[in-house]
Amino acid sequence: MDLPDSQLLLKRVVSIKAVVTQRWKDETQQLLQTQISELDGQLQQLEIQGQRAVTEIQKQSLQPPGPQVMQQIESIQTQVNQQKSELLEQKNMALQQLQQVQFLELKQEVSQGQVEGYFSVKLGDNLISKMNVEVLLHDGVVMEIRGNI
């Protein structure tokens, strides 16, 4: 086995950053607005489905409803409220992100997330420097790769 040629393929996390441009801000705000609208639609749909389920149970039960029927209705309302809370939390996060995007300055760098990638390492390589890599985007185009590829 020839040591200088021996290599190992490893996986690393690569940070993705974007330069804030007007186009990036517009696209990000539009994406967040769409997400907020979808969440509003889901909230309305959830409300309607919960009401239908309660109405259906009430139609099928005797009047006045017994304790078992009341328990079913409470269970449905609890589930609806729990799902509603989760959707409202997602909506609030999207609204906060929307507000943050509006205050970002042009040419500022912001984190866009992470991707996984593979890299080769051989004897004598500095593993720490090879693990620290990030990609800088400008309107979706790779402008710079920072770190030891």
Side-chain angles (χ1 to χ4, degrees):
M1 185 167 155
D2 190 6
L3 290 179
D5 292 331
S6 62
Q7 292 186 350
L8 185 61
L9 193 60
L10 300 174
K11 192 186 328 184
R12 67 180 161 201
V13 175
V14 178
S15 297
I16 307 296
K17 288 188 171 183
V19 174
V20 176
T21 63
Q22 192 57 52
R23 177 179 170 190
W24 180 90
K25 284 179 86 167
D26 292 343
E27 289 175 357
T28 303
Q29 287 173 340
Q30 182 61 45
L31 184 70
L32 288 167
Q33 288 287 8
T34 301
Q35 185 179 0
I36 291 166
S37 294
E38 288 174 0
L39 288 166
D40 282 337
Q42 289 176 16
L43 282 164
Q44 285 180 322
Q45 191 66 25
L46 181 62
E47 227 16 87
I48 291 168
Q49 289 173 347
Q51 279 301 109
R52 282 185 186 155
V54 168
T55 302
E56 194 61 36
I57 290 172
Q58 288 173 337
K59 281 183 185 177
Q60 294 175 3
S61 70
L62 302 171
Q63 294 301 329
Q68 192 174 20
V69 172
M70 294 305 290
Q71 188 176 8
Q72 284 180 318
I73 291 171
E74 282 180 37
S75 175
I76 289 170
Q77 289 172 336
T78 300
Q79 288 176 347
V80 166
N81 288 337
Q82 184 179 7
Q83 291 174 352
K84 198 177 189 179
S85 277
E86 291 171 12
L87 290 173
L88 286 170
E89 187 175 326
Q90 290 175 21
K91 181 180 175 180
N92 285 335
M93 286 177 55
L95 287 167
Q96 287 175 0
Q97 290 173 340
L98 183 61
Q99 186 177 23
Q100 289 171 351
V101 167
Q102 292 169 349
F103 290 114
L104 290 175
E105 294 182 23
L106 297 180
K107 297 185 181 178
Q108 182 179 350
E109 292 180 12
V110 293
S111 178
Q112 284 289 111
Q114 298 177 329
V115 294
E116 290 183 341
Y118 292 95
F119 69 103
S120 62
V121 64
K122 62 184 183 300
L123 292 175
D125 285 347
N126 184 330
L127 182 62
I128 303 302
S129 71
K130 282 201 164 218
M131 294 291 291
N132 295 321
V133 175
E134 66 183 26
V135 175
L136 181 65
L137 304 176
H138 187 278
D139 289 336
V141 177
V142 176
M143 296 306 291
E144 188 179 349
I145 298 173
R146 298 173 177 161
N148 188 350
I149 301 172

